[in-house]
Amino acid sequence: MKHVSKKREIRLLDADGVRRTIIRMSHEILEHNRGIRDLALIGIRTRGAYIAERVASIIEAEEGKRPFFGVLDITLYRDDLSSASEKPIVRATEIPFDVRDKVIVLIDDVLYTGRTARAALDAIMDFGRPKKIELAVLMDRGYRELPIRADYVGRELAIKENEVVLVRIREIDGIDEVVIEEMNEAE
Amino acid sequence: MRLNRKDLLGLEQLSKEEIELFLDTATSLREVSERPIRKVPTLRGKTIVNLFLEASTRTKSSFELAAKRLSADTVNISAASSSILKGETLLDTARNLEAMKIDAVVVRHSSPGAAVFLARKLAVPVINGGDGIHEHPTQGLLDLLTIRDRKGRIEGLQVAIVGDIAHSRVARSDIFGLSKLGADVRVCGPPTLIPRDIERLGVGVHHELRKALREVDVVIVLRIQREREKAGVLPSIREYRSLFMIDKEALSSAREDVLVMHPGPINRGVELDPEVADSTQSAILAQVTNGIAVRMAVLYLLIGSR
C-alpha cells in the first residue's frame, strides 16, 4: 500500500514576506491600471479571497477609495467534477457589482495547472462582459496544463513536480507564510 | 462532510449533517438564480428524467428549472402521456428509460414506496418527488431552508403543523427534518385527520387551534383536499374552516414574529385566510424560490460526481 508522507518543509516567506509581497502586487495593480477607475478585484475562494481583501485594503489606503470587490467560488465550473471521488462543497459566490466594462483582477494564492483560472474566467463571463480580465497570484509554481499566464506574480518558483507550495493565510490557517513541501511516496 | 448515498428517498434516513449539507449547498446555489445569465455548466451532458405519474405543477417545474440552471437536459414524462396508460408497469417504464442512458430519475407517484422500489431496481440516482402519503423530501428541505433563513436557526424553535396530517407526505418529511435539526414539533387538526400513533415520531398532538399555536415560531399550514369531505373524514369544509383556518385571530396566541408557511397549492379561505397568506409574516413565495435552490443542491450532490 502506498502512503504519501511529508518529507520536509522549507519556508519560503514568513508573515512579513507575505505582507511585503502583497503590498508590491497591490502597487503594481494600481500602477498598471493608473488608479482604480473601473477596477474590480475578485478573489477566488478560499485563500485567494483573503489575499484579495488585503489587496483591496492596501489600494483603499493609497487611493482613498475602495475598488469594487467580489468573491468567486469556482466549484460549479470545475472540469473534474465527474471524476472527483468526493463532491466538493459549493460555497457562495458574491459579486455585488455589474462586471460589464470593468477591469477585473482575479486574485488567487497559487497558479499551477491553470485549470482554476480557466474555471474562474468562464464564471466571470457568465456575469457579463468585462472590459478586461487580469490575473494576480501570490505564487506561480509552473507546470501549466492550459495556455494561461498571470499578469501579477508575487513570486515565481522553479520547483519539482512532487513538491507542493502551501500558502497559509492567517484567517484560515492561523499564520501567514508560504512553504514548500516535498511529498515522498513510501511503501 | 461527504454524502454517501445514491438516492434521496426521504428525510427519515438522513443524518443531521447530511441535511445540513443539502441546506448549505442550496444556500450557495441560490445566487445562480439571481444572475443575469441564470445558468452554470455543472451538469452539462447529464440527462434527468422527471417521471411525474401524479399531478404536479410546482414540484415538476421546480425540478425542471433546477436541472436547467445546472445545464442538465431534462425529459418530462407525465401519466397522461406515458405508456403506463397502455399497461406498462412502473418498473418497465423506468428500465426502458435507463436503457436510454440517463443520469437520474425524479419520480412522483401516488403509491408510498414507489421511489424506494425504483431506487432498488435502478443503478442511477432516484430522487423522490413525492410518493403517496410517505415522504416529499425536497419539500421538507426547502421548508427547513426557509425557516433557517428567516429565523436564523432551527434548533429550539416551536413549530406547529396544522391540517390534514394523515394524508400529508409534506408533514412527514417536515417532522423528520425539523426533529433532526432540534425543533420542537406539534401537529394540529381534527382527530380524523391525525394518524394514530403519530406521537411515536416525537410530536405533540393538539385538536384545538389556539392551544396548538401558543407561543409558536412557525406555522406550517397544509392543504385541505375537498375530496376528504366526500370520504367522510371531514364533516364539512365549513366546519373545518371555522375550527382550523389560520387567520389573524388564530395567530394571536403565537409569537408576534410567527412565520406562516404553506406547501401550496393554497385553498384560500379554507385552511388559510387570504389576508395572512399575503402578509409579511407569510414565507410562501420564499418557499417556492428556495425550492429551486434545494433541488439544484440535490441534483448537484447526487449526480455531480458520478
Side-chain angles (χ1 to χ4, degrees):
Chain A
M1 190 170 167
K2 270 184 179 174
H3 290 284
V4 178
S5 63
K6 270 191 287 182
K7 196 178 175 193
R8 61 202 169 94
E9 212 178 88
I10 306 162
R11 185 192 256 185
L12 218 67
L13 291 176
D14 60 7
D16 278 334
V18 170
R19 183 176 54 82
R20 291 188 195 111
T21 307
I22 294 176
I23 290 175
R24 176 173 52 76
M25 289 169 63
S26 308
H27 285 151
E28 284 174 3
I29 291 169
L30 268 183
E31 188 189 2
H32 187 248
N33 289 295
R34 301 195 183 102
I36 66 165
R37 221 172 73 90
D38 302 330
L39 183 69
L41 308 179
I42 295 182
I44 300 176
R45 280 191 196 277
T46 310
R47 286 170 182 77
Y50 293 103
I51 298 171
E53 242 168 56
R54 294 184 197 179
V55 173
S57 301
I58 294 163
I59 288 179
E60 184 180 10
E62 288 292 323
E63 299 290 303
K65 198 181 157 215
R66 202 171 170 81
F68 293 103
F69 182 80
V71 174
L72 187 64
D73 181 287
I74 56 105
T75 308
L76 300 171
Y77 291 83
R78 282 172 64 150
D79 59 7
D80 59 352
L81 280 178
S82 35
S83 57
S85 61
E86 200 159 330
K87 198 91 26 130
I89 302 270
V90 184
R91 299 189 197 282
T93 288
E94 292 153 31
I95 300 187
F97 55 85
D98 189 348
V99 303
R100 263 179 302 171
D101 299 325
K102 299 282 188 312
V103 174
I104 289 174
V105 182
L106 265 175
I107 301 180
D108 206 357
D109 54 351
V110 179
L111 178 57
Y112 180 19
T113 61
R115 288 178 192 270
T116 300
R118 193 284 307 164
L121 290 173
D122 280 353
I124 290 174
M125 302 293 190
D126 279 355
F127 282 86
R129 187 178 187 276
K131 186 153 85 188
K132 190 177 178 187
I133 303 178
E134 299 181 328
L135 177 62
V137 295
L138 195 61
M139 293 289 138
D140 179 351
R141 62 149 298 171
Y143 293 100
R144 218 74 80 234
E145 292 171 3
L146 294 172
I148 279 173
R149 60 161 185 81
D151 300 273
Y152 310 98
V153 178
R155 192 184 285 199
E156 218 164 302
L157 305 172
I159 62 171
K160 287 181 241 145
E161 232 181 328
N162 68 330
E163 290 174 322
V164 183
V165 188
L166 293 176
V167 173
R168 299 202 172 107
I169 292 292
R170 198 175 53 237
E171 289 88 335
I172 306 163
D173 310 297
I175 185 171
D176 281 346
E177 65 174 5
V178 178
V179 300
I180 294 180
E181 253 183 27
E182 188 176 322
M183 303 309 274
N184 190 22
E185 276 184 10
E187 286 302 309
Chain B
M1 176 65 219
R2 183 178 180 166
L3 191 75
N4 216 346
R5 45 178 84 239
K6 174 173 88 72
D7 315 290
L8 177 66
L9 303 174
L11 297 192
E12 186 176 7
Q13 308 87 354
L14 296 190
S15 68
K16 177 174 186 265
E17 291 71 28
E18 286 175 306
I19 292 175
E20 283 172 345
L21 177 64
F22 281 118
L23 300 185
D24 293 345
T25 306
T27 304
S28 297
L29 287 171
R30 207 155 28 188
E31 161 269 328
V32 173
S33 297
E34 306 294 328
R35 296 184 185 184
I37 300 169
R38 291 185 286 271
K39 211 177 190 57
V40 289
T42 318
L43 294 185
R44 210 172 42 165
K46 307 283 184 184
T47 307
I48 297 162
V49 172
N50 288 323
L51 184 58
F52 275 67
L53 302 176
E54 192 190 61
S56 162
T57 317
R58 205 173 327 255
T59 307
K60 191 166 93 182
S61 47
S62 183
F63 265 112
E64 192 174 353
L65 283 171
K68 287 186 165 155
R69 287 187 186 165
L70 291 171
S71 299
D73 296 313
T74 54
V75 177
N76 292 314
I77 297 167
S78 60
S81 65
S82 77
S83 300
I84 301 248
L85 274 190
K86 299 180 186 169
E88 188 175 55
T89 65
L90 175 62
L91 181 58
D92 280 334
T93 301
R95 278 193 177 143
N96 275 281
L97 291 170
E98 199 173 43
M100 293 178 195
K101 306 295 172 204
I102 54 147
D103 298 284
V105 178
V106 180
V107 63
R108 152 83 52 108
H109 198 282
S110 56
S111 297
V116 177
F117 170 74
L118 279 187
R120 282 194 194 135
K121 303 289 182 185
L122 299 183
V124 298
V126 172
I127 296 158
N128 185 0
D131 60 333
I133 59 168
H134 175 225
E135 278 222 47
H136 191 354
T138 55
Q139 178 74 42
L141 289 172
L142 74 89
D143 286 349
L144 292 171
L145 182 62
T146 307
I147 296 171
R148 197 174 78 168
D149 275 352
R150 291 288 192 100
K151 295 290 175 192
R153 69 192 162 102
I154 288 175
E155 193 166 3
L157 292 181
Q158 303 288 327
V159 181
I161 304 177
V162 181
D164 185 356
I165 311 295
H167 302 93
S168 176
R169 54 191 169 216
V170 176
R172 292 174 58 85
S173 289
D174 279 346
I175 289 169
F176 292 130
L178 285 164
S179 308
K180 282 177 196 219
L181 296 195
D184 197 3
V185 184
R186 62 195 78 171
V187 297
C188 176
T192 47
L193 296 181
I194 305 269
R196 241 187 307 166
D197 295 338
I198 184 107
E199 295 93 338
R200 281 203 206 151
L201 298 183
V203 301
V205 176
H206 291 264
H207 301 297
E208 205 181 311
L209 190 59
R210 294 285 293 238
K211 271 190 193 156
L213 298 189
R214 197 170 286 159
E215 292 300 309
V216 295
D217 300 281
V218 180
V219 187
I220 297 171
V221 190
L222 300 177
R223 174 180 163 77
I224 287 296
Q225 289 172 310
R226 288 171 188 271
E227 307 89 85
R228 302 286 170 237
E229 198 174 9
K230 288 186 212 117
V233 288
L234 201 63
S236 75
I237 292 290
R238 196 195 303 167
E239 187 186 284
Y240 182 87
R241 191 194 139 116
S242 69
L243 293 175
F244 295 102
M245 184 174 78
I246 303 292
D247 55 15
K248 270 240 161 80
E249 198 204 321
L251 288 176
S252 63
S253 69
R255 287 177 58 99
E256 209 176 320
D257 60 352
V258 65
L259 191 65
V260 179
M261 304 188 4
H262 191 299
I266 308 172
N267 275 321
R268 284 178 178 263
V270 178
E271 70 266 6
L272 186 58
D273 187 50
E275 195 190 355
V276 173
D278 302 328
S279 71
T280 53
Q281 285 170 309
S282 157
I284 296 171
L285 292 175
Q287 287 174 273
V288 178
T289 306
N290 282 336
I292 293 179
V294 155
R295 289 169 183 124
M296 286 171 76
V298 169
L299 294 174
Y300 167 74
L301 290 169
L302 291 182
I303 304 170
S305 72
R306 286 184 66 84

